[in-house]
Amino acid sequence: MLLVQKFGGTSMGSLERIANVADKIIKAREAGHQVAVVVSAMSGETDRLIALAQAIQAEPDPREYSMLVSTGEQVSMSLLAMMLHSKGVPARSYTGNQAGIHTNSVYKKARILNLDCKRIQKDLAEGRVPIIAGFQGVDSCGEVTTLGRGGSDTSAVAVAAAIQADECQIFTDVEGVYTTDPRVVSTARLLEKVTFEEMLELASLGAKVLQIRSVEFAGKHNIPVRVLSSFVEGNGTLITFEENVGLEQPKVSGIAFNRSEAKITVRGIPDSPGVAARILGPISRAQIEVDMIIQNVPVAGIIDFTFTVHRDDFAKTVEIVEEIARELGASEILKDKKIAKLSLVGVGMRSHAGIASTMFTALGTEGINIQLISTSEIKISVVVDEKYLELGVRTLHSVFHLDQQEVREEWDPHPL
Ligand code: ADP
Ligand code: ASP
Ligand code: MG
């Protein structure tokens, strides 16, 4: 098989770990596979570089930001090449530019436009291991761009699409995709398969195990993606394009959460046509994405209007909203950064009623107040006070029978 193997930050975190990665690549080659590799920076390195930049300026110039943070991957790729050499395996490392990863010019959140994979293919044909720096590309002017946090996943899937790999293997620090983040809920269960649609929702709602764009890319180009551990042997989780909605399909497949949003409420504005557009128009023109929106029922012709944005965009959004609120004669603006979003995801939701009410009842029983709700065909999201995030996730995980123990009790005929 032709494989792309991507190794994340923890997997590349020290020379011992890089040696472990080299052994994995060698093992795959010995099993008869051709392997192209994509790497992340050593763990903590990208954060360290960003902190250095921000110690100089809160909003550093995006071009210089990308120049700086892309260096993390260049360290790890060349170390891995040397490690493979030391074990007698020919390998060559490539920057995004050298690997022909062409992006648009949105420096910090660039999108891959196309990939000219001649050098990668030549290496593969001649028995070398090409090692490509993840997270970076080059725009049409030759400037270095970066793909957004977690972007090496997307580099890997893009390389897999370009060389028409049989599978893109994302090696990370957990054994695959779980019912929820196993670092938060210890009873989270490893999923053998997850549908592409579910993975898309989980990734977009906060499960950082895969960058959302990598999942989009996999869908667009039909690339089988498997998430597995660099440290523990196993089959990991396959992202499947099968619909597999049968009788066995659980109602809820997984729970995602994030604390990266902030909530803004504009109070006491007139209930007149176009008010929502007056508030949200300038925000979207400032390239800020609004997530959840709620407008309450008017009382005496007056409404409150609430929405959420990413915390990184909070200050800018407040600045914009203050001006509009003045024009609209709003009574006040409420700002809340201490919120968390919890989301249930599952293709099985399509065919099961009552999931929302079970969810709301469970949260209510724990005294967790729901501030905002949004739904789609296969997900329900709620915003709650940040301090209830872990309690909320654990409660829902158990209410929807996702815990490992319960599965064992139900299914294992020979419990320990
Ligand atoms: P890498 O450096 O390998 O890219 P990341 O830290 O980006 O690794 O992603 C792996 C992490 O994703 C895990 O350590 C885990 O804490 C987190 N995670 C969040 N949700 C999930 C989930 N549903 N299943 C597995 N891991 C998850
Ligand atoms: N090193 C980059 C980051 O930390 C890209 C990645 O790890 O995928 O975001
Ligand atoms: Mg990652």
Side-chain angles (χ1 to χ4, degrees), residues 6-11 40 150 153 171-174 176-183 202 206-210 255:
K6 177 255 169 176
F7 295 92
T10 317
S11 314
S40 288
D153 298 332
F171 285 91
T172 184
D173 54 5
V174 290
V177 180
Y178 285 70
T179 46
T180 193
D181 189 339
R183 299 192 192 286
L202 288 170
K208 72 163 183 168
V209 62
L210 285 178
I255 302 177

Side-chain angles (χ1 to χ4, degrees), residues 19 35 70 131 189 197 200 223 236 300 368 381 394 400 404 414-415:
V35 186
S70 62
I131 305 169
R189 185 162 40 88
E197 267 180 297
L200 206 54
I223 308 296
I368 303 174
S381 299
R394 272 196 217 108
F400 286 98
Q404 239 175 52
H414 307 294

Side-chain angles (χ1 to χ4, degrees), residues 46-61 64-65 68-69 108:
T46 309
D47 288 339
R48 187 184 75 84
L49 294 168
I50 293 173
L52 283 176
Q54 287 181 336
I56 301 174
Q57 267 185 316
E59 293 274 341
D61 176 68
E64 300 309 327
Y65 171 100
L68 176 72
V69 300
K108 292 166 72 177

Side-chain angles (χ1 to χ4, degrees), residues 388-407:
Y388 293 125
L389 181 133
E390 291 185 9
L391 174 63
V393 177
R394 272 196 217 108
T395 304
L396 296 175
H397 201 263
S398 127
V399 163
F400 286 98
H401 310 291
L402 298 172
D403 286 344
Q404 239 175 52
Q405 282 88 337
E406 280 192 47
V407 173

